[in-house]
Amino acid sequence: MCGIVGIVSVGENLVNQEIYDALTILQHRGQDAAGIVTCENGRFYQRKDNGLVKDVFRTRHMRDLHGTMGIGHVRYPTAGSSSSAEAQPFYVNSPYGIAMGHNGNLTNAETLAQELYRQDLRHLNTNSDSEVLLNIFAHELMQQKKLMINHEDVFNAIRHVHKRVRGGYAAVGLISSLGVIAFRDPFGLRPAVVGKRETAFGTDYMVASESVALDGLGFSLIKDLAPGEAVVITESGEIFYQQCAENPQYSPCIFEFVYFARPDSMIDDISVYKSRLRMGEKLADKILREWSDHDIDVVMPIPDTSRTSALELATRLGKPYREGFIKNRYIGRTFIMPGQQLRKKSVRQKLNPIDLEFEGKNVLLVDDSIVRGTTSGQIVQMAREAGARKVYFASAAPPVKYPYVYGIDMPSPTELVASGRTVEEVAEVIGADRLIYQDLDDLIDAVSAGSEAVNQFDTSCFSGVYATGDITPEYLASLDTERNDDAQATRQAAGQETVGIHNQSGN
């Protein structure tokens, strides 16, 4: 999971500050690295490094980012690498000069890397599959064999990209001779939206991972890119769309609505906020159906993502809603922190209980999901130490039992607390008196109720059914071997960043 943005301004307004602002809005999608590439008079200007947006870009860097079109990226590492060499966007000078950033994971990146070397005669300088995607696109664009290209040439190249590439991806690119491009995988696994803003000089256009980035910069939402669809925005402000996949089908990642996206975003014309409200309703209905004689005194969210679901759940149960934990907003999202020890250390730094809200009460804690169980177990213990008589735990998502391979760090079944365990056994592991999971059908209903176009989602981390249909047991085994916390710790101790390109999604 990463955040992408691209902007074309038709006036004299430089885009550096606006891309910076958009990346700040999308910071929740990646906290490992950030980068911006702009273009002026055919020349690229770049700044990227490890760290948060506010730390990567200083005034001196912003002054050097010239141009009225550009792209930006915030990175979340799915394999725990913290090398600045993996920061995006990436750049190739042939053909035409292209920069690209992407959100997702290419499941056949290892094969593609070999093809790039042996057949396309292209050199890869990192282990990032984002660089693979860029070079695949560059090679296909070169096949147009034209000195000056147009939007049709780009669409032709993207058609060939879809034929070669497997996995989930939403990409934004910058072509020096043309403008900003963006495209989405044939299943729509990763989100991408397009917006516009009217100015005295004409219409500015923007592409981003989430609509909230458009809102923050005064752009209005035009549309979500459909699965397999591409957009080209020329430097002069023309915009073109085209479907580039042979058999596109909507199957967006449902975990975007559970956890990753901001609640004020619209994704595929579905309100994330309304989806989470309905998750709370469904979860409350399950409690009333299966535990009608419950003795819950108070409902508390685990800040921040579960607040919407917890509030609706409390309302439906007729129980008080209380903020029992105060969050330190300067600690990153623990789920996307690489390494188990870092995740453990950060939980107590991140959350502090208000003892008065816990003392002598039977507390229902609500979280968006339970992945490794590390955070959940520590929070349950904190609630007990704060004086709770009983601690119940509810998850707005079903049990996470399977690896997720399209750009989210759920690589190893052995590290997923629900894998191979019953609900009661998971409750025992995290120390809860009772555990309630959302049913998968209820989660799908909660999200799909907001859309007429989307009624199918990728739910692979819950169901083990992968939208692309090409995930083999051997592929999952390789991820388990190379991407689990022990393997990461071994590589870090040995001073190695990654092993295998398909492990190191830059997204």
Side-chain angles (χ1 to χ4, degrees), residues 29 38 95 146 162 175 190 198 244 287 310 337 369 378 385 432 457 483 501:
R29 298 189 65 86
T38 60
K146 295 171 63 176
H162 287 327
I175 304 176
R190 303 263 64 88
E198 301 298 335
C244 297
I287 291 173
M337 286 184 175
S369 59
Q378 291 191 65
E385 292 171 358
F457 298 87
R483 286 177 59 178
I501 287 178

PDB file of all heavy atoms in Angstrom, residues 29 38 95 146 162 175 190 198 244 287 310 337 369 378 385 432 457 483 501:
ATOM      1  N   ARG A  29      -1.060   6.402   3.946  1.00  0.00           N
ATOM      2  CA  ARG A  29      -0.880   5.265   3.061  1.00  0.00           C
ATOM      3  C   ARG A  29       0.565   4.788   2.993  1.00  0.00           C
ATOM      4  O   ARG A  29       0.844   3.727   2.426  1.00  0.00           O
ATOM      5  CB  ARG A  29      -1.374   5.604   1.656  1.00  0.00           C
ATOM      6  CG  ARG A  29      -2.869   5.926   1.589  1.00  0.00           C
ATOM      7  CD  ARG A  29      -3.341   6.043   0.150  1.00  0.00           C
ATOM      8  NE  ARG A  29      -3.237   4.763  -0.535  1.00  0.00           N
ATOM      9  CZ  ARG A  29      -4.184   3.815  -0.510  1.00  0.00           C
ATOM     10  NH1 ARG A  29      -5.300   4.004   0.184  1.00  0.00           N
ATOM     11  NH2 ARG A  29      -4.024   2.691  -1.170  1.00  0.00           N
ATOM     12  N   THR A  38       9.057  16.573 -10.890  1.00  0.00           N
ATOM     13  CA  THR A  38       8.365  17.570 -11.698  1.00  0.00           C
ATOM     14  C   THR A  38       9.071  17.707 -13.039  1.00  0.00           C
ATOM     15  O   THR A  38      10.193  17.208 -13.224  1.00  0.00           O
ATOM     16  CB  THR A  38       8.323  18.937 -10.996  1.00  0.00           C
ATOM     17  OG1 THR A  38       9.666  19.387 -10.776  1.00  0.00           O
ATOM     18  CG2 THR A  38       7.582  18.846  -9.671  1.00  0.00           C
ATOM     19  N   PRO A  95      12.480   5.295 -23.281  1.00  0.00           N
ATOM     20  CA  PRO A  95      12.399   6.371 -24.265  1.00  0.00           C
ATOM     21  C   PRO A  95      11.770   7.635 -23.681  1.00  0.00           C
ATOM     22  O   PRO A  95      10.976   7.546 -22.738  1.00  0.00           O
ATOM     23  CB  PRO A  95      11.480   5.768 -25.334  1.00  0.00           C
ATOM     24  CG  PRO A  95      10.527   4.907 -24.526  1.00  0.00           C
ATOM     25  CD  PRO A  95      11.355   4.350 -23.386  1.00  0.00           C
ATOM     26  N   LYS A 146       8.484   5.940 -32.410  1.00  0.00           N
ATOM     27  CA  LYS A 146       8.152   7.279 -32.885  1.00  0.00           C
ATOM     28  C   LYS A 146       8.965   8.311 -32.114  1.00  0.00           C
ATOM     29  O   LYS A 146       9.224   8.135 -30.923  1.00  0.00           O
ATOM     30  CB  LYS A 146       6.658   7.552 -32.713  1.00  0.00           C
ATOM     31  CG  LYS A 146       5.769   6.669 -33.572  1.00  0.00           C
ATOM     32  CD  LYS A 146       4.304   6.822 -33.198  1.00  0.00           C
ATOM     33  CE  LYS A 146       3.787   8.222 -33.427  1.00  0.00           C
ATOM     34  NZ  LYS A 146       2.340   8.323 -33.143  1.00  0.00           N
ATOM     35  N   HIS A 162      -0.659  -4.586 -19.441  1.00  0.00           N
ATOM     36  CA  HIS A 162      -1.673  -5.431 -18.806  1.00  0.00           C
ATOM     37  C   HIS A 162      -1.520  -6.895 -19.208  1.00  0.00           C
ATOM     38  O   HIS A 162      -1.819  -7.799 -18.416  1.00  0.00           O
ATOM     39  CB  HIS A 162      -3.081  -4.944 -19.193  1.00  0.00           C
ATOM     40  CG  HIS A 162      -3.498  -3.669 -18.527  1.00  0.00           C
ATOM     41  ND1 HIS A 162      -3.090  -3.325 -17.260  1.00  0.00           N
ATOM     42  CD2 HIS A 162      -4.298  -2.650 -18.948  1.00  0.00           C
ATOM     43  CE1 HIS A 162      -3.622  -2.155 -16.930  1.00  0.00           C
ATOM     44  NE2 HIS A 162      -4.357  -1.727 -17.936  1.00  0.00           N
ATOM     45  N   ILE A 175       5.704  11.695 -18.408  1.00  0.00           N
ATOM     46  CA  ILE A 175       6.469  11.570 -19.644  1.00  0.00           C
ATOM     47  C   ILE A 175       6.845  12.971 -20.103  1.00  0.00           C
ATOM     48  O   ILE A 175       5.974  13.816 -20.314  1.00  0.00           O
ATOM     49  CB  ILE A 175       5.670  10.837 -20.736  1.00  0.00           C
ATOM     50  CG1 ILE A 175       5.211   9.465 -20.232  1.00  0.00           C
ATOM     51  CG2 ILE A 175       6.505  10.688 -22.002  1.00  0.00           C
ATOM     52  CD1 ILE A 175       4.333   8.712 -21.201  1.00  0.00           C
ATOM     53  N   ARG A 190      -6.224  -1.865  -6.570  1.00  0.00           N
ATOM     54  CA  ARG A 190      -5.725  -0.668  -5.897  1.00  0.00           C
ATOM     55  C   ARG A 190      -6.450   0.549  -6.462  1.00  0.00           C
ATOM     56  O   ARG A 190      -6.716   0.630  -7.662  1.00  0.00           O
ATOM     57  CB  ARG A 190      -4.219  -0.533  -6.085  1.00  0.00           C
ATOM     58  CG  ARG A 190      -3.418  -1.735  -5.592  1.00  0.00           C
ATOM     59  CD  ARG A 190      -2.863  -1.536  -4.180  1.00  0.00           C
ATOM     60  NE  ARG A 190      -3.867  -1.401  -3.151  1.00  0.00           N
ATOM     61  CZ  ARG A 190      -4.407  -2.432  -2.489  1.00  0.00           C
ATOM     62  NH1 ARG A 190      -4.053  -3.656  -2.767  1.00  0.00           N
ATOM     63  NH2 ARG A 190      -5.281  -2.206  -1.527  1.00  0.00           N
ATOM     64  N   GLU A 198     -11.247  24.181 -12.002  1.00  0.00           N
ATOM     65  CA  GLU A 198     -11.308  25.265 -12.978  1.00  0.00           C
ATOM     66  C   GLU A 198     -10.528  26.473 -12.466  1.00  0.00           C
ATOM     67  O   GLU A 198     -10.668  26.860 -11.302  1.00  0.00           O
ATOM     68  CB  GLU A 198     -12.755  25.658 -13.257  1.00  0.00           C
ATOM     69  CG  GLU A 198     -13.629  24.528 -13.802  1.00  0.00           C
ATOM     70  CD  GLU A 198     -13.142  23.999 -15.136  1.00  0.00           C
ATOM     71  OE1 GLU A 198     -12.467  24.748 -15.868  1.00  0.00           O
ATOM     72  OE2 GLU A 198     -13.434  22.825 -15.446  1.00  0.00           O
ATOM     73  N   CYS A 244      -7.946  -0.322 -21.394  1.00  0.00           N
ATOM     74  CA  CYS A 244      -6.774  -0.968 -21.996  1.00  0.00           C
ATOM     75  C   CYS A 244      -6.653  -2.444 -21.644  1.00  0.00           C
ATOM     76  O   CYS A 244      -5.665  -3.082 -22.030  1.00  0.00           O
ATOM     77  CB  CYS A 244      -5.497  -0.233 -21.577  1.00  0.00           C
ATOM     78  SG  CYS A 244      -5.413   1.475 -22.160  1.00  0.00           S
ATOM     79  N   ILE A 287     -23.820  -9.491  17.608  1.00  0.00           N
ATOM     80  CA  ILE A 287     -23.783  -9.599  19.069  1.00  0.00           C
ATOM     81  C   ILE A 287     -25.179  -9.831  19.622  1.00  0.00           C
ATOM     82  O   ILE A 287     -25.403 -10.696  20.486  1.00  0.00           O
ATOM     83  CB  ILE A 287     -23.152  -8.331  19.672  1.00  0.00           C
ATOM     84  CG1 ILE A 287     -21.659  -8.267  19.324  1.00  0.00           C
ATOM     85  CG2 ILE A 287     -23.339  -8.300  21.196  1.00  0.00           C
ATOM     86  CD1 ILE A 287     -20.984  -6.978  19.735  1.00  0.00           C
ATOM     87  N   ALA A 310     -17.218   1.583  15.818  1.00  0.00           N
ATOM     88  CA  ALA A 310     -17.498   1.449  17.253  1.00  0.00           C
ATOM     89  C   ALA A 310     -18.660   2.339  17.680  1.00  0.00           C
ATOM     90  O   ALA A 310     -19.492   1.936  18.504  1.00  0.00           O
ATOM     91  CB  ALA A 310     -16.246   1.788  18.056  1.00  0.00           C
ATOM     92  N   MET A 337       4.318  -1.018  10.265  1.00  0.00           N
ATOM     93  CA  MET A 337       5.715  -0.917  10.679  1.00  0.00           C
ATOM     94  C   MET A 337       6.422  -2.243  10.434  1.00  0.00           C
ATOM     95  O   MET A 337       5.928  -3.297  10.832  1.00  0.00           O
ATOM     96  CB  MET A 337       5.807  -0.571  12.170  1.00  0.00           C
ATOM     97  CG  MET A 337       5.465   0.858  12.488  1.00  0.00           C
ATOM     98  SD  MET A 337       5.711   1.211  14.229  1.00  0.00           S
ATOM     99  CE  MET A 337       5.371   2.964  14.240  1.00  0.00           C
ATOM    100  N   SER A 369      -9.601  -4.520  12.670  1.00  0.00           N
ATOM    101  CA  SER A 369      -9.219  -5.883  12.309  1.00  0.00           C
ATOM    102  C   SER A 369      -8.189  -6.384  13.308  1.00  0.00           C
ATOM    103  O   SER A 369      -7.658  -5.612  14.110  1.00  0.00           O
ATOM    104  CB  SER A 369      -8.634  -5.928  10.893  1.00  0.00           C
ATOM    105  OG  SER A 369      -7.497  -5.086  10.809  1.00  0.00           O
ATOM    106  N   GLN A 378      -1.644  -6.456  23.529  1.00  0.00           N
ATOM    107  CA  GLN A 378      -1.140  -5.425  24.427  1.00  0.00           C
ATOM    108  C   GLN A 378      -2.238  -4.474  24.878  1.00  0.00           C
ATOM    109  O   GLN A 378      -2.246  -4.021  26.023  1.00  0.00           O
ATOM    110  CB  GLN A 378      -0.025  -4.642  23.727  1.00  0.00           C
ATOM    111  CG  GLN A 378       1.241  -5.473  23.517  1.00  0.00           C
ATOM    112  CD  GLN A 378       2.408  -4.614  23.068  1.00  0.00           C
ATOM    113  OE1 GLN A 378       2.871  -3.755  23.802  1.00  0.00           O
ATOM    114  NE2 GLN A 378       2.864  -4.846  21.865  1.00  0.00           N
ATOM    115  N   GLU A 385      -5.007  -3.536  33.130  1.00  0.00           N
ATOM    116  CA  GLU A 385      -4.187  -2.761  34.061  1.00  0.00           C
ATOM    117  C   GLU A 385      -4.874  -1.449  34.453  1.00  0.00           C
ATOM    118  O   GLU A 385      -4.643  -0.923  35.555  1.00  0.00           O
ATOM    119  CB  GLU A 385      -2.823  -2.461  33.433  1.00  0.00           C
ATOM    120  CG  GLU A 385      -1.961  -3.707  33.244  1.00  0.00           C
ATOM    121  CD  GLU A 385      -0.712  -3.427  32.427  1.00  0.00           C
ATOM    122  OE1 GLU A 385      -0.548  -2.256  31.977  1.00  0.00           O
ATOM    123  OE2 GLU A 385       0.103  -4.348  32.223  1.00  0.00           O
ATOM    124  N   ALA A 432      -8.401 -11.856  25.733  1.00  0.00           N
ATOM    125  CA  ALA A 432      -9.749 -11.303  25.868  1.00  0.00           C
ATOM    126  C   ALA A 432     -10.693 -12.318  26.500  1.00  0.00           C
ATOM    127  O   ALA A 432     -10.540 -13.534  26.328  1.00  0.00           O
ATOM    128  CB  ALA A 432     -10.280 -10.891  24.502  1.00  0.00           C
ATOM    129  N   PHE A 457     -15.562  -8.174  -4.382  1.00  0.00           N
ATOM    130  CA  PHE A 457     -14.351  -7.620  -3.808  1.00  0.00           C
ATOM    131  C   PHE A 457     -13.297  -8.713  -3.679  1.00  0.00           C
ATOM    132  O   PHE A 457     -13.622  -9.900  -3.597  1.00  0.00           O
ATOM    133  CB  PHE A 457     -14.628  -7.025  -2.417  1.00  0.00           C
ATOM    134  CG  PHE A 457     -15.597  -5.888  -2.422  1.00  0.00           C
ATOM    135  CD1 PHE A 457     -16.967  -6.112  -2.344  1.00  0.00           C
ATOM    136  CD2 PHE A 457     -15.153  -4.573  -2.517  1.00  0.00           C
ATOM    137  CE1 PHE A 457     -17.869  -5.060  -2.358  1.00  0.00           C
ATOM    138  CE2 PHE A 457     -16.032  -3.522  -2.529  1.00  0.00           C
ATOM    139  CZ  PHE A 457     -17.401  -3.767  -2.452  1.00  0.00           C
ATOM    140  N   ARG A 483       9.557 -13.370   3.631  1.00  0.00           N
ATOM    141  CA  ARG A 483       9.022 -12.103   4.090  1.00  0.00           C
ATOM    142  C   ARG A 483       8.548 -12.125   5.537  1.00  0.00           C
ATOM    143  O   ARG A 483       8.033 -11.112   6.021  1.00  0.00           O
ATOM    144  CB  ARG A 483       7.858 -11.671   3.181  1.00  0.00           C
ATOM    145  CG  ARG A 483       8.342 -11.172   1.843  1.00  0.00           C
ATOM    146  CD  ARG A 483       7.187 -10.813   0.932  1.00  0.00           C
ATOM    147  NE  ARG A 483       6.335  -9.781   1.496  1.00  0.00           N
ATOM    148  CZ  ARG A 483       5.285  -9.279   0.859  1.00  0.00           C
ATOM    149  NH1 ARG A 483       4.975  -9.718  -0.336  1.00  0.00           N
ATOM    150  NH2 ARG A 483       4.554  -8.342   1.420  1.00  0.00           N
ATOM    151  N   ILE A 501      13.081 -10.038  -6.046  1.00  0.00           N
ATOM    152  CA  ILE A 501      12.337  -8.850  -6.427  1.00  0.00           C
ATOM    153  C   ILE A 501      10.885  -8.964  -6.029  1.00  0.00           C
ATOM    154  O   ILE A 501      10.291  -7.998  -5.578  1.00  0.00           O
ATOM    155  CB  ILE A 501      12.479  -8.615  -7.939  1.00  0.00           C
ATOM    156  CG1 ILE A 501      13.901  -8.102  -8.221  1.00  0.00           C
ATOM    157  CG2 ILE A 501      11.455  -7.633  -8.462  1.00  0.00           C
ATOM    158  CD1 ILE A 501      14.181  -7.884  -9.669  1.00  0.00           C
TER     159      ILE A 501
END
